[in-house]
Amino acid sequence: MVDYETSNSRCKHSRRIRYPFGKYKRGFDFFECCKGLVLLRHVARDSGNTLVIWNPCTDEFKKLPVYPPFESDIDMASVEFGIGYDSQAEDFKVVSIEAIRGKNGVRFRFRLRTSSWERLKDLVIEDLSFGSLPDMARIPVNGTLSWIVDKSGFKVIVSFDFEKEEFKEKKMAYLFNESYRTTLCVLKESLCLLGFKHFDRFAGKVGELNLKGKGKTTSGTELFTIKLQNHFGYVRNLMPLQYFGSGEVLLSIEIDDGSFIVLYDPQYDTVTTLYEYLDPGLCCSSHTSIFLKSQISLNTGTYLREYAD
């Protein structure tokens, strides 16, 4: 973990934090962060797949009841999970996002306060080109969780509203030409798009998407281009993490030899390495994220005191 202060837009030092199931060797899947809480799926020989909500700052964690709650034939490899906050109910929710027979849908919802799963009916997206799992933003934006799906020959941004528990769809604007492979990310509390060329990982582009307009297609603005070859050579994965007031961007970079957390200055095209992990077997740039320091009770889902960065 790398600490940073948003008040002065500066990173401090890196430190290790203890994973609550550290004694197991099978590892975990990272899904999403929301207001200081991290959603993980722990994989262990003796307990199968266990969903966990974890607050790394207080070292509290909560195991969710066994999933799936009503059916036993669901392929867990075809399920993503997301966590969000319902400001009206003042409660955290976890939803399952499943890809089944050409449909993506939110099928079940878990409430932190009641500690129970509920089925959500008819929340599916029809007419998808295929039933694979979506590319999902790892941090909710304005109370919504968004992902990209292929629908009837074009890409669509689908957003799930945690408060209203409903979908919104917009055709995705192509901020870059079609030679770029796109991935969702979140910067400046806005949904953004990362672009990599299919066979050329020497440069990356990042643009900001606008989902608030009344049209049926998103609009957007390109934020910056980073010439990765100048600093790292060929890059396997890149994930923008945070935009600072100074104009610098926190990036997670993965190359063949390991992973790096760096500060990139688009104006001067300079890179400062904050942390490096030189182990090619444990590269995880695409699953790196940020979270806020918070004091949240995992028993009630409410703040013990106002959370602060």
Side-chain angles (χ1 to χ4, degrees):
M1 183 178 74
V2 177
D3 289 336
Y4 68 89
E5 297 290 342
T6 56
S7 58
N8 57 18
S9 301
R10 288 292 181 267
C11 289
K12 298 191 298 184
H13 56 276
S14 63
R15 60 189 176 94
R16 293 183 180 273
I17 53 178
R18 185 179 67 87
Y19 171 57
F21 294 97
K23 65 180 180 178
Y24 297 105
K25 296 182 179 180
R26 291 292 297 276
F28 56 88
D29 296 326
F30 164 81
F31 289 112
E32 201 180 341
C33 300
C34 179
K35 294 184 181 293
L37 299 185
V38 181
L39 180 63
L40 303 169
R41 177 166 58 198
H42 171 64
V43 181
R45 291 186 179 91
D46 58 345
S47 61
N49 293 279
T50 303
L51 288 175
V52 179
I53 299 176
W54 177 37
N55 186 335
C57 294
T58 63
D59 203 27
E60 289 183 301
F61 67 91
K62 184 181 184 67
K63 292 183 182 180
L64 275 61
V66 175
Y67 183 92
F70 308 111
E71 302 175 23
S72 59
D73 60 346
I74 293 178
D75 179 10
M76 292 299 289
S78 66
V79 183
E80 283 266 7
F81 295 90
I83 184 171
Y85 185 70
D86 182 339
S87 57
Q88 182 173 352
E90 297 183 341
D91 196 8
F92 288 86
K93 297 178 179 179
V94 175
V95 293
S96 68
I97 302 164
E98 303 180 21
I100 300 176
R101 293 183 294 276
K103 298 179 181 180
N104 279 141
V106 173
R107 301 189 69 196
F108 300 106
R109 180 247 293 130
F110 172 87
R111 288 180 179 269
L112 185 57
R113 283 189 174 180
T114 61
S115 192
S116 61
W117 288 100
E118 298 176 44
R119 184 192 293 274
L120 298 177
K121 296 182 179 179
D122 301 325
L123 286 176
V124 297
I125 309 163
E126 304 284 352
D127 303 323
L128 299 185
S129 300
F130 53 86
S132 62
L133 284 171
D135 165 43
M136 186 172 67
R138 298 296 171 180
I139 300 174
V141 176
N142 297 324
T144 63
L145 176 65
S146 298
W147 61 92
I148 300 175
V149 297
D150 287 317
K151 184 174 182 179
S152 302
F154 53 85
K155 291 187 181 295
V156 172
I157 301 288
V158 176
S159 298
F160 176 77
D161 189 310
F162 280 95
E163 183 177 310
K164 297 178 181 179
E165 294 189 350
E166 64 182 20
F167 285 129
K168 294 181 180 179
E169 298 181 33
K170 280 200 171 187
K171 185 178 179 181
M172 190 181 78
Y174 284 91
L175 303 186
F176 328 118
N177 65 51
E178 295 185 3
S179 65
Y180 283 84
R181 184 178 66 86
T182 54
T183 303
L184 289 177
C185 57
V186 177
L187 291 174
K188 301 189 296 185
E189 298 184 352
S190 296
L191 190 66
C192 294
L193 200 63
L194 167 67
F196 261 135
K197 286 191 176 181
H198 287 288
F199 303 105
D200 180 4
R201 296 300 187 91
F202 296 120
K205 292 180 178 288
V206 177
E208 183 178 9
L209 292 170
N210 180 10
L211 303 180
K212 295 181 180 180
K214 296 182 179 181
K216 296 182 179 180
T217 302
T218 63
S219 59
T221 305
E222 186 174 326
L223 295 177
F224 63 88
T225 298
I226 177 171
K227 298 178 181 179
L228 299 166
Q229 185 178 17
N230 294 351
H231 307 286
F232 300 99
Y234 182 83
V235 170
R236 292 173 56 184
N237 278 303
L238 165 68
M239 181 55 64
L241 301 175
Q242 180 76 6
Y243 218 116
F244 294 99
S246 62
E248 294 173 306
V249 187
L250 189 68
L251 303 173
S252 177
I253 304 285
E254 180 184 328
I255 61 175
D256 288 336
D257 296 331
S259 297
F260 299 83
I261 303 294
V262 304
L263 273 178
Y264 174 65
D265 189 327
Q267 182 178 357
Y268 298 103
D269 190 30
T270 58
V271 167
T272 302
T273 299
L274 302 176
Y275 178 78
E276 60 182 66
Y277 194 85
L278 300 180
D279 187 338
L282 293 175
C283 293
C284 54
S285 178
S286 59
H287 294 287
T288 304
S289 187
I290 62 170
F291 65 91
L292 299 174
K293 296 179 180 179
S294 63
Q295 294 287 335
I296 297 175
S297 169
L298 290 180
N299 292 320
T300 64
T302 58
Y303 295 110
L304 300 177
R305 63 174 184 265
E306 279 298 313
Y307 74 92
D309 294 342

